[in-house]
PDB file of all heavy atoms in Angstrom:
ATOM      1  N   VAL P   1      40.011 175.177-120.859  1.00  0.00           N
ATOM      2  CA  VAL P   1      40.441 175.808-122.110  1.00  0.00           C
ATOM      3  C   VAL P   1      39.826 177.197-122.130  1.00  0.00           C
ATOM      4  O   VAL P   1      38.597 177.308-121.892  1.00  0.00           O
ATOM      5  CB  VAL P   1      40.084 175.030-123.329  1.00  0.00           C
ATOM      6  CG1 VAL P   1      40.415 175.797-124.537  1.00  0.00           C
ATOM      7  CG2 VAL P   1      40.731 173.649-123.309  1.00  0.00           C
ATOM      8  N   ALA P   2      40.746 178.182-122.312  1.00  0.00           N
ATOM      9  CA  ALA P   2      40.274 179.655-122.448  1.00  0.00           C
ATOM     10  C   ALA P   2      40.565 180.006-123.886  1.00  0.00           C
ATOM     11  O   ALA P   2      41.696 180.356-124.228  1.00  0.00           O
ATOM     12  CB  ALA P   2      41.017 180.512-121.476  1.00  0.00           C
ATOM     13  N   ASP P   3      39.443 180.047-124.714  1.00  0.00           N
ATOM     14  CA  ASP P   3      39.690 180.233-126.170  1.00  0.00           C
ATOM     15  C   ASP P   3      38.979 181.610-126.568  1.00  0.00           C
ATOM     16  O   ASP P   3      38.954 181.807-127.840  1.00  0.00           O
ATOM     17  CB  ASP P   3      39.326 179.075-127.049  1.00  0.00           C
ATOM     18  CG  ASP P   3      37.899 178.599-126.786  1.00  0.00           C
ATOM     19  OD1 ASP P   3      37.237 179.266-125.929  1.00  0.00           O
ATOM     20  OD2 ASP P   3      37.500 177.631-127.389  1.00  0.00           O
ATOM     21  N   SER P   4      38.459 182.380-125.656  1.00  0.00           N
ATOM     22  CA  SER P   4      37.803 183.629-126.032  1.00  0.00           C
ATOM     23  C   SER P   4      38.499 184.745-125.261  1.00  0.00           C
ATOM     24  O   SER P   4      39.303 184.472-124.247  1.00  0.00           O
ATOM     25  CB  SER P   4      36.362 183.616-125.621  1.00  0.00           C
ATOM     26  OG  SER P   4      36.242 183.736-124.230  1.00  0.00           O
ATOM     27  N   PHE P   5      38.437 186.030-125.787  1.00  0.00           N
ATOM     28  CA  PHE P   5      39.016 187.122-125.137  1.00  0.00           C
ATOM     29  C   PHE P   5      38.704 187.227-123.707  1.00  0.00           C
ATOM     30  O   PHE P   5      39.590 187.328-122.840  1.00  0.00           O
ATOM     31  CB  PHE P   5      38.791 188.389-125.948  1.00  0.00           C
ATOM     32  CG  PHE P   5      39.334 189.606-125.150  1.00  0.00           C
ATOM     33  CD1 PHE P   5      40.766 189.928-125.288  1.00  0.00           C
ATOM     34  CD2 PHE P   5      38.527 190.365-124.239  1.00  0.00           C
ATOM     35  CE1 PHE P   5      41.267 190.971-124.597  1.00  0.00           C
ATOM     36  CE2 PHE P   5      39.109 191.415-123.590  1.00  0.00           C
ATOM     37  CZ  PHE P   5      40.489 191.760-123.731  1.00  0.00           C
ATOM     38  N   ARG P   6      37.430 187.052-123.461  1.00  0.00           N
ATOM     39  CA  ARG P   6      36.960 187.196-122.040  1.00  0.00           C
ATOM     40  C   ARG P   6      37.544 185.994-121.074  1.00  0.00           C
ATOM     41  O   ARG P   6      37.945 186.329-120.027  1.00  0.00           O
ATOM     42  CB  ARG P   6      35.362 187.069-122.077  1.00  0.00           C
ATOM     43  CG  ARG P   6      34.766 187.281-120.792  1.00  0.00           C
ATOM     44  CD  ARG P   6      33.284 187.247-120.871  1.00  0.00           C
ATOM     45  NE  ARG P   6      32.749 187.615-119.595  1.00  0.00           N
ATOM     46  CZ  ARG P   6      31.565 187.938-119.323  1.00  0.00           C
ATOM     47  NH1 ARG P   6      30.698 187.925-120.391  1.00  0.00           N
ATOM     48  NH2 ARG P   6      31.080 188.246-118.113  1.00  0.00           N
ATOM     49  N   SER P   7      37.449 184.879-121.634  1.00  0.00           N
ATOM     50  CA  SER P   7      37.940 183.703-120.741  1.00  0.00           C
ATOM     51  C   SER P   7      39.512 183.877-120.539  1.00  0.00           C
ATOM     52  O   SER P   7      39.965 183.552-119.439  1.00  0.00           O
ATOM     53  CB  SER P   7      37.605 182.350-121.376  1.00  0.00           C
ATOM     54  OG  SER P   7      38.201 182.164-122.674  1.00  0.00           O
ATOM     55  N   ARG P   8      40.211 184.249-121.595  1.00  0.00           N
ATOM     56  CA  ARG P   8      41.699 184.379-121.424  1.00  0.00           C
ATOM     57  C   ARG P   8      41.935 185.664-120.407  1.00  0.00           C
ATOM     58  O   ARG P   8      42.894 185.567-119.617  1.00  0.00           O
ATOM     59  CB  ARG P   8      42.412 184.744-122.724  1.00  0.00           C
ATOM     60  CG  ARG P   8      42.499 183.551-123.648  1.00  0.00           C
ATOM     61  CD  ARG P   8      43.304 183.840-124.856  1.00  0.00           C
ATOM     62  NE  ARG P   8      42.850 184.973-125.668  1.00  0.00           N
ATOM     63  CZ  ARG P   8      42.021 184.955-126.694  1.00  0.00           C
ATOM     64  NH1 ARG P   8      41.572 183.760-127.108  1.00  0.00           N
ATOM     65  NH2 ARG P   8      41.618 185.951-127.408  1.00  0.00           N
ATOM     66  N   PHE P   9      41.221 186.768-120.563  1.00  0.00           N
ATOM     67  CA  PHE P   9      41.376 187.921-119.729  1.00  0.00           C
ATOM     68  C   PHE P   9      41.065 187.532-118.289  1.00  0.00           C
ATOM     69  O   PHE P   9      41.914 187.975-117.338  1.00  0.00           O
ATOM     70  CB  PHE P   9      40.523 189.031-120.179  1.00  0.00           C
ATOM     71  CG  PHE P   9      40.736 190.260-119.411  1.00  0.00           C
ATOM     72  CD1 PHE P   9      41.770 191.078-119.671  1.00  0.00           C
ATOM     73  CD2 PHE P   9      39.824 190.635-118.376  1.00  0.00           C
ATOM     74  CE1 PHE P   9      41.924 192.307-118.950  1.00  0.00           C
ATOM     75  CE2 PHE P   9      40.025 191.866-117.683  1.00  0.00           C
ATOM     76  CZ  PHE P   9      41.115 192.663-117.930  1.00  0.00           C
ATOM     77  N   ARG P  10      40.049 186.740-118.114  1.00  0.00           N
ATOM     78  CA  ARG P  10      39.639 186.474-116.636  1.00  0.00           C
ATOM     79  C   ARG P  10      40.693 185.513-115.969  1.00  0.00           C
ATOM     80  O   ARG P  10      41.047 185.690-114.792  1.00  0.00           O
ATOM     81  CB  ARG P  10      38.339 185.784-116.648  1.00  0.00           C
ATOM     82  CG  ARG P  10      37.893 185.358-115.300  1.00  0.00           C
ATOM     83  CD  ARG P  10      36.639 185.918-114.765  1.00  0.00           C
ATOM     84  NE  ARG P  10      36.540 185.568-113.307  1.00  0.00           N
ATOM     85  CZ  ARG P  10      35.436 185.348-112.774  1.00  0.00           C
ATOM     86  NH1 ARG P  10      34.278 185.400-113.436  1.00  0.00           N
ATOM     87  NH2 ARG P  10      35.412 185.092-111.479  1.00  0.00           N
ATOM     88  N   GLY P  11      41.052 184.456-116.729  1.00  0.00           N
ATOM     89  CA  GLY P  11      41.999 183.477-116.103  1.00  0.00           C
ATOM     90  C   GLY P  11      41.677 183.070-114.683  1.00  0.00           C
ATOM     91  O   GLY P  11      40.520 182.687-114.373  1.00  0.00           O
ATOM     92  N   PHE P  12      42.647 183.315-113.814  1.00  0.00           N
ATOM     93  CA  PHE P  12      42.450 182.931-112.397  1.00  0.00           C
ATOM     94  C   PHE P  12      42.004 184.136-111.527  1.00  0.00           C
ATOM     95  O   PHE P  12      42.023 184.129-110.253  1.00  0.00           O
ATOM     96  CB  PHE P  12      43.750 182.425-111.767  1.00  0.00           C
ATOM     97  CG  PHE P  12      44.110 181.038-112.184  1.00  0.00           C
ATOM     98  CD1 PHE P  12      45.309 180.660-112.788  1.00  0.00           C
ATOM     99  CD2 PHE P  12      43.308 180.044-111.797  1.00  0.00           C
ATOM    100  CE1 PHE P  12      45.633 179.394-113.077  1.00  0.00           C
ATOM    101  CE2 PHE P  12      43.569 178.712-112.091  1.00  0.00           C
ATOM    102  CZ  PHE P  12      44.662 178.323-112.697  1.00  0.00           C
ATOM    103  N   MET P  13      41.549 185.286-112.213  1.00  0.00           N
ATOM    104  CA  MET P  13      41.121 186.485-111.409  1.00  0.00           C
ATOM    105  C   MET P  13      40.046 185.985-110.404  1.00  0.00           C
ATOM    106  O   MET P  13      39.091 185.297-110.696  1.00  0.00           O
ATOM    107  CB  MET P  13      40.617 187.566-112.327  1.00  0.00           C
ATOM    108  CG  MET P  13      41.723 188.387-112.928  1.00  0.00           C
ATOM    109  SD  MET P  13      41.159 189.913-113.650  1.00  0.00           S
ATOM    110  CE  MET P  13      39.639 189.562-114.627  1.00  0.00           C
ATOM    111  N   PHE P  14      40.055 186.552-109.216  1.00  0.00           N
ATOM    112  CA  PHE P  14      39.178 186.455-108.164  1.00  0.00           C
ATOM    113  C   PHE P  14      39.066 185.002-107.607  1.00  0.00           C
ATOM    114  O   PHE P  14      38.220 184.773-106.663  1.00  0.00           O
ATOM    115  CB  PHE P  14      37.810 186.861-108.615  1.00  0.00           C
ATOM    116  CG  PHE P  14      37.711 188.341-109.146  1.00  0.00           C
ATOM    117  CD1 PHE P  14      37.497 188.483-110.465  1.00  0.00           C
ATOM    118  CD2 PHE P  14      38.007 189.343-108.254  1.00  0.00           C
ATOM    119  CE1 PHE P  14      37.470 189.801-110.985  1.00  0.00           C
ATOM    120  CE2 PHE P  14      37.991 190.697-108.850  1.00  0.00           C
ATOM    121  CZ  PHE P  14      37.738 190.875-110.134  1.00  0.00           C
ATOM    122  N   ALA P  15      39.771 184.058-108.143  1.00  0.00           N
ATOM    123  CA  ALA P  15      39.761 182.796-107.626  1.00  0.00           C
ATOM    124  C   ALA P  15      40.631 182.430-106.421  1.00  0.00           C
ATOM    125  O   ALA P  15      41.547 183.168-106.182  1.00  0.00           O
ATOM    126  CB  ALA P  15      40.209 181.752-108.712  1.00  0.00           C
ATOM    127  N   LYS P  16      40.193 181.446-105.585  1.00  0.00           N
ATOM    128  CA  LYS P  16      41.036 181.009-104.543  1.00  0.00           C
ATOM    129  C   LYS P  16      42.102 180.140-105.186  1.00  0.00           C
ATOM    130  O   LYS P  16      41.904 179.649-106.241  1.00  0.00           O
ATOM    131  CB  LYS P  16      40.206 180.213-103.563  1.00  0.00           C
ATOM    132  CG  LYS P  16      39.214 181.082-102.776  1.00  0.00           C
ATOM    133  CD  LYS P  16      38.475 180.165-101.882  1.00  0.00           C
ATOM    134  CE  LYS P  16      37.379 181.014-101.154  1.00  0.00           C
ATOM    135  NZ  LYS P  16      36.544 180.223-100.241  1.00  0.00           N
ATOM    136  N   ARG P  17      43.190 179.883-104.479  1.00  0.00           N
ATOM    137  CA  ARG P  17      44.340 179.075-105.086  1.00  0.00           C
ATOM    138  C   ARG P  17      43.720 177.690-105.344  1.00  0.00           C
ATOM    139  O   ARG P  17      43.145 177.011-104.454  1.00  0.00           O
ATOM    140  CB  ARG P  17      45.393 178.980-104.041  1.00  0.00           C
ATOM    141  CG  ARG P  17      46.620 178.218-104.643  1.00  0.00           C
ATOM    142  CD  ARG P  17      47.760 178.112-103.652  1.00  0.00           C
ATOM    143  NE  ARG P  17      48.845 177.329-104.246  1.00  0.00           N
ATOM    144  CZ  ARG P  17      49.816 177.772-104.973  1.00  0.00           C
ATOM    145  NH1 ARG P  17      49.884 179.091-105.241  1.00  0.00           N
ATOM    146  NH2 ARG P  17      50.684 177.081-105.559  1.00  0.00           N
ATOM    147  N   PRO P  18      43.773 177.298-106.595  1.00  0.00           N
ATOM    148  CA  PRO P  18      43.247 176.008-107.057  1.00  0.00           C
ATOM    149  C   PRO P  18      44.153 174.872-106.589  1.00  0.00           C
ATOM    150  O   PRO P  18      45.336 175.028-106.303  1.00  0.00           O
ATOM    151  CB  PRO P  18      43.235 176.099-108.549  1.00  0.00           C
ATOM    152  CG  PRO P  18      44.277 177.076-108.939  1.00  0.00           C
ATOM    153  CD  PRO P  18      44.311 178.069-107.798  1.00  0.00           C
ATOM    154  N   PRO P  19      43.602 173.671-106.511  1.00  0.00           N
ATOM    155  CA  PRO P  19      44.409 172.488-106.081  1.00  0.00           C
ATOM    156  C   PRO P  19      45.459 172.217-107.130  1.00  0.00           C
ATOM    157  O   PRO P  19      45.449 172.566-108.242  1.00  0.00           O
ATOM    158  CB  PRO P  19      43.393 171.448-105.991  1.00  0.00           C
ATOM    159  CG  PRO P  19      42.199 171.881-106.698  1.00  0.00           C
ATOM    160  CD  PRO P  19      42.222 173.349-106.722  1.00  0.00           C
ATOM    161  N   SER P  20      46.444 171.387-106.702  1.00  0.00           N
ATOM    162  CA  SER P  20      47.615 170.960-107.477  1.00  0.00           C
ATOM    163  C   SER P  20      46.896 170.219-108.658  1.00  0.00           C
ATOM    164  O   SER P  20      45.961 169.495-108.561  1.00  0.00           O
ATOM    165  CB  SER P  20      48.474 170.123-106.715  1.00  0.00           C
ATOM    166  OG  SER P  20      49.516 169.637-107.542  1.00  0.00           O
ATOM    167  N   GLY P  21      47.540 170.482-109.933  1.00  0.00           N
ATOM    168  CA  GLY P  21      47.119 169.698-111.113  1.00  0.00           C
ATOM    169  C   GLY P  21      46.104 170.552-111.869  1.00  0.00           C
ATOM    170  O   GLY P  21      45.608 170.167-112.975  1.00  0.00           O
ATOM    171  N   THR P  22      45.729 171.726-111.344  1.00  0.00           N
ATOM    172  CA  THR P  22      44.743 172.602-112.050  1.00  0.00           C
ATOM    173  C   THR P  22      45.418 173.567-112.906  1.00  0.00           C
ATOM    174  O   THR P  22      46.454 174.054-112.572  1.00  0.00           O
ATOM    175  CB  THR P  22      43.817 173.344-111.004  1.00  0.00           C
ATOM    176  OG1 THR P  22      43.252 172.392-110.182  1.00  0.00           O
ATOM    177  CG2 THR P  22      42.750 174.152-111.755  1.00  0.00           C
ATOM    178  N   GLY P  23      44.822 173.899-114.125  1.00  0.00           N
ATOM    179  CA  GLY P  23      45.456 174.932-115.067  1.00  0.00           C
ATOM    180  C   GLY P  23      44.473 175.539-115.917  1.00  0.00           C
ATOM    181  O   GLY P  23      43.315 174.991-116.047  1.00  0.00           O
ATOM    182  N   ILE P  24      44.905 176.491-116.624  1.00  0.00           N
ATOM    183  CA  ILE P  24      44.178 177.076-117.682  1.00  0.00           C
ATOM    184  C   ILE P  24      45.048 177.088-118.965  1.00  0.00           C
ATOM    185  O   ILE P  24      46.180 177.621-118.971  1.00  0.00           O
ATOM    186  CB  ILE P  24      43.709 178.492-117.346  1.00  0.00           C
ATOM    187  CG1 ILE P  24      42.819 178.529-116.027  1.00  0.00           C
ATOM    188  CG2 ILE P  24      42.994 179.289-118.515  1.00  0.00           C
ATOM    189  CD1 ILE P  24      42.511 179.909-115.619  1.00  0.00           C
ATOM    190  N   LEU P  25      44.502 176.563-120.117  1.00  0.00           N
ATOM    191  CA  LEU P  25      45.197 176.719-121.316  1.00  0.00           C
ATOM    192  C   LEU P  25      44.530 177.778-122.205  1.00  0.00           C
ATOM    193  O   LEU P  25      43.424 177.592-122.603  1.00  0.00           O
ATOM    194  CB  LEU P  25      45.105 175.306-122.093  1.00  0.00           C
ATOM    195  CG  LEU P  25      45.764 175.193-123.385  1.00  0.00           C
ATOM    196  CD1 LEU P  25      47.354 175.409-123.254  1.00  0.00           C
ATOM    197  CD2 LEU P  25      45.526 174.005-124.174  1.00  0.00           C
ATOM    198  N   CYS P  26      45.303 178.819-122.329  1.00  0.00           N
ATOM    199  CA  CYS P  26      44.941 179.952-123.201  1.00  0.00           C
ATOM    200  C   CYS P  26      45.251 179.715-124.645  1.00  0.00           C
ATOM    201  O   CYS P  26      46.485 179.348-124.924  1.00  0.00           O
ATOM    202  CB  CYS P  26      45.522 181.216-122.713  1.00  0.00           C
ATOM    203  SG  CYS P  26      45.139 181.661-121.068  1.00  0.00           S
ATOM    204  N   VAL P  27      44.286 179.715-125.507  1.00  0.00           N
ATOM    205  CA  VAL P  27      44.447 179.590-126.927  1.00  0.00           C
ATOM    206  C   VAL P  27      44.313 180.938-127.573  1.00  0.00           C
ATOM    207  O   VAL P  27      43.271 181.566-127.510  1.00  0.00           O
ATOM    208  CB  VAL P  27      43.378 178.568-127.449  1.00  0.00           C
ATOM    209  CG1 VAL P  27      43.618 178.394-129.061  1.00  0.00           C
ATOM    210  CG2 VAL P  27      43.382 177.302-126.670  1.00  0.00           C
ATOM    211  N   PHE P  28      45.476 181.328-128.170  1.00  0.00           N
ATOM    212  CA  PHE P  28      45.411 182.641-128.804  1.00  0.00           C
ATOM    213  C   PHE P  28      45.094 182.638-130.348  1.00  0.00           C
ATOM    214  O   PHE P  28      45.327 181.503-130.957  1.00  0.00           O
ATOM    215  CB  PHE P  28      46.856 183.232-128.700  1.00  0.00           C
ATOM    216  CG  PHE P  28      47.342 183.529-127.272  1.00  0.00           C
ATOM    217  CD1 PHE P  28      48.382 182.922-126.814  1.00  0.00           C
ATOM    218  CD2 PHE P  28      46.567 184.317-126.445  1.00  0.00           C
ATOM    219  CE1 PHE P  28      48.834 183.040-125.454  1.00  0.00           C
ATOM    220  CE2 PHE P  28      46.987 184.419-125.150  1.00  0.00           C
ATOM    221  CZ  PHE P  28      48.104 183.788-124.617  1.00  0.00           C
ATOM    222  N   PRO P  29      44.485 183.682-130.814  1.00  0.00           N
ATOM    223  CA  PRO P  29      44.051 183.673-132.253  1.00  0.00           C
ATOM    224  C   PRO P  29      45.250 183.434-133.276  1.00  0.00           C
ATOM    225  O   PRO P  29      45.135 182.969-134.386  1.00  0.00           O
ATOM    226  CB  PRO P  29      43.369 184.974-132.446  1.00  0.00           C
ATOM    227  CG  PRO P  29      43.536 185.818-131.237  1.00  0.00           C
ATOM    228  CD  PRO P  29      44.174 184.899-130.231  1.00  0.00           C
ATOM    229  N   LYS P  30      46.371 183.948-132.913  1.00  0.00           N
ATOM    230  CA  LYS P  30      47.616 183.781-133.771  1.00  0.00           C
ATOM    231  C   LYS P  30      48.822 183.719-132.884  1.00  0.00           C
ATOM    232  O   LYS P  30      48.704 184.060-131.794  1.00  0.00           O
ATOM    233  CB  LYS P  30      47.749 184.838-134.728  1.00  0.00           C
ATOM    234  CG  LYS P  30      47.907 186.260-134.241  1.00  0.00           C
ATOM    235  CD  LYS P  30      47.952 187.185-135.317  1.00  0.00           C
ATOM    236  CE  LYS P  30      48.089 188.677-134.741  1.00  0.00           C
ATOM    237  NZ  LYS P  30      48.214 189.739-135.702  1.00  0.00           N
ATOM    238  N   THR P  31      50.006 183.301-133.476  1.00  0.00           N
ATOM    239  CA  THR P  31      51.180 183.271-132.671  1.00  0.00           C
ATOM    240  C   THR P  31      51.770 184.728-132.595  1.00  0.00           C
ATOM    241  O   THR P  31      51.921 185.441-133.510  1.00  0.00           O
ATOM    242  CB  THR P  31      52.200 182.382-133.392  1.00  0.00           C
ATOM    243  OG1 THR P  31      51.667 180.987-133.489  1.00  0.00           O
ATOM    244  CG2 THR P  31      53.591 182.301-132.675  1.00  0.00           C
ATOM    245  N   ALA P  32      51.922 185.037-131.301  1.00  0.00           N
ATOM    246  CA  ALA P  32      52.491 186.427-130.991  1.00  0.00           C
ATOM    247  C   ALA P  32      52.962 186.511-129.561  1.00  0.00           C
ATOM    248  O   ALA P  32      52.930 185.437-128.780  1.00  0.00           O
ATOM    249  CB  ALA P  32      51.338 187.499-131.157  1.00  0.00           C
ATOM    250  N   ARG P  33      53.390 187.644-129.120  1.00  0.00           N
ATOM    251  CA  ARG P  33      53.940 187.844-127.751  1.00  0.00           C
ATOM    252  C   ARG P  33      52.774 188.485-126.938  1.00  0.00           C
ATOM    253  O   ARG P  33      52.708 189.652-126.730  1.00  0.00           O
ATOM    254  CB  ARG P  33      55.098 188.810-127.887  1.00  0.00           C
ATOM    255  CG  ARG P  33      56.327 188.096-128.482  1.00  0.00           C
ATOM    256  CD  ARG P  33      57.537 189.074-128.569  1.00  0.00           C
ATOM    257  NE  ARG P  33      57.765 189.832-127.356  1.00  0.00           N
ATOM    258  CZ  ARG P  33      58.321 191.040-127.355  1.00  0.00           C
ATOM    259  NH1 ARG P  33      58.438 191.674-128.457  1.00  0.00           N
ATOM    260  NH2 ARG P  33      58.479 191.559-126.222  1.00  0.00           N
ATOM    261  N   TYR P  34      51.835 187.667-126.457  1.00  0.00           N
ATOM    262  CA  TYR P  34      50.702 188.215-125.699  1.00  0.00           C
ATOM    263  C   TYR P  34      51.091 188.461-124.300  1.00  0.00           C
ATOM    264  O   TYR P  34      51.598 187.516-123.589  1.00  0.00           O
ATOM    265  CB  TYR P  34      49.576 187.174-125.739  1.00  0.00           C
ATOM    266  CG  TYR P  34      48.969 186.926-127.085  1.00  0.00           C
ATOM    267  CD1 TYR P  34      49.400 185.928-127.895  1.00  0.00           C
ATOM    268  CD2 TYR P  34      48.033 187.878-127.482  1.00  0.00           C
ATOM    269  CE1 TYR P  34      48.842 185.817-129.201  1.00  0.00           C
ATOM    270  CE2 TYR P  34      47.494 187.689-128.873  1.00  0.00           C
ATOM    271  CZ  TYR P  34      47.888 186.680-129.684  1.00  0.00           C
ATOM    272  OH  TYR P  34      47.333 186.636-130.921  1.00  0.00           O
ATOM    273  N   PRO P  35      50.820 189.627-123.730  1.00  0.00           N
ATOM    274  CA  PRO P  35      51.117 189.912-122.362  1.00  0.00           C
ATOM    275  C   PRO P  35      50.152 189.303-121.430  1.00  0.00           C
ATOM    276  O   PRO P  35      49.002 189.051-121.898  1.00  0.00           O
ATOM    277  CB  PRO P  35      51.124 191.455-122.330  1.00  0.00           C
ATOM    278  CG  PRO P  35      50.229 191.830-123.378  1.00  0.00           C
ATOM    279  CD  PRO P  35      50.359 190.842-124.504  1.00  0.00           C
ATOM    280  N   VAL P  36      50.557 189.020-120.147  1.00  0.00           N
ATOM    281  CA  VAL P  36      49.778 188.524-119.036  1.00  0.00           C
ATOM    282  C   VAL P  36      49.665 189.538-117.874  1.00  0.00           C
ATOM    283  O   VAL P  36      50.682 190.164-117.684  1.00  0.00           O
ATOM    284  CB  VAL P  36      50.429 187.171-118.613  1.00  0.00           C
ATOM    285  CG1 VAL P  36      49.678 186.631-117.426  1.00  0.00           C
ATOM    286  CG2 VAL P  36      50.361 186.214-119.793  1.00  0.00           C
ATOM    287  N   HIS P  37      48.568 189.475-117.290  1.00  0.00           N
ATOM    288  CA  HIS P  37      48.455 190.238-116.008  1.00  0.00           C
ATOM    289  C   HIS P  37      47.956 189.323-114.900  1.00  0.00           C
ATOM    290  O   HIS P  37      47.324 188.327-115.190  1.00  0.00           O
ATOM    291  CB  HIS P  37      47.435 191.400-116.220  1.00  0.00           C
ATOM    292  CG  HIS P  37      46.002 190.966-116.283  1.00  0.00           C
ATOM    293  ND1 HIS P  37      45.321 190.804-115.137  1.00  0.00           N
ATOM    294  CD2 HIS P  37      45.226 190.713-117.264  1.00  0.00           C
ATOM    295  CE1 HIS P  37      44.087 190.407-115.489  1.00  0.00           C
ATOM    296  NE2 HIS P  37      44.051 190.285-116.761  1.00  0.00           N
ATOM    297  N   THR P  38      48.264 189.730-113.675  1.00  0.00           N
ATOM    298  CA  THR P  38      47.782 188.987-112.584  1.00  0.00           C
ATOM    299  C   THR P  38      47.001 190.013-111.620  1.00  0.00           C
ATOM    300  O   THR P  38      47.020 189.865-110.432  1.00  0.00           O
ATOM    301  CB  THR P  38      48.938 188.421-111.769  1.00  0.00           C
ATOM    302  OG1 THR P  38      49.880 189.425-111.426  1.00  0.00           O
ATOM    303  CG2 THR P  38      49.607 187.316-112.543  1.00  0.00           C
TER     304      THR P  38
END
């Protein structure tokens, strides 16, 4: 779970490809159209 700005911003940055079944659930402060970067 990524529920802070920092954890959402970091996401999978600098990581090696994770194994199947791995994910990150980003929790936003409110419902909106939040952009994503890779």
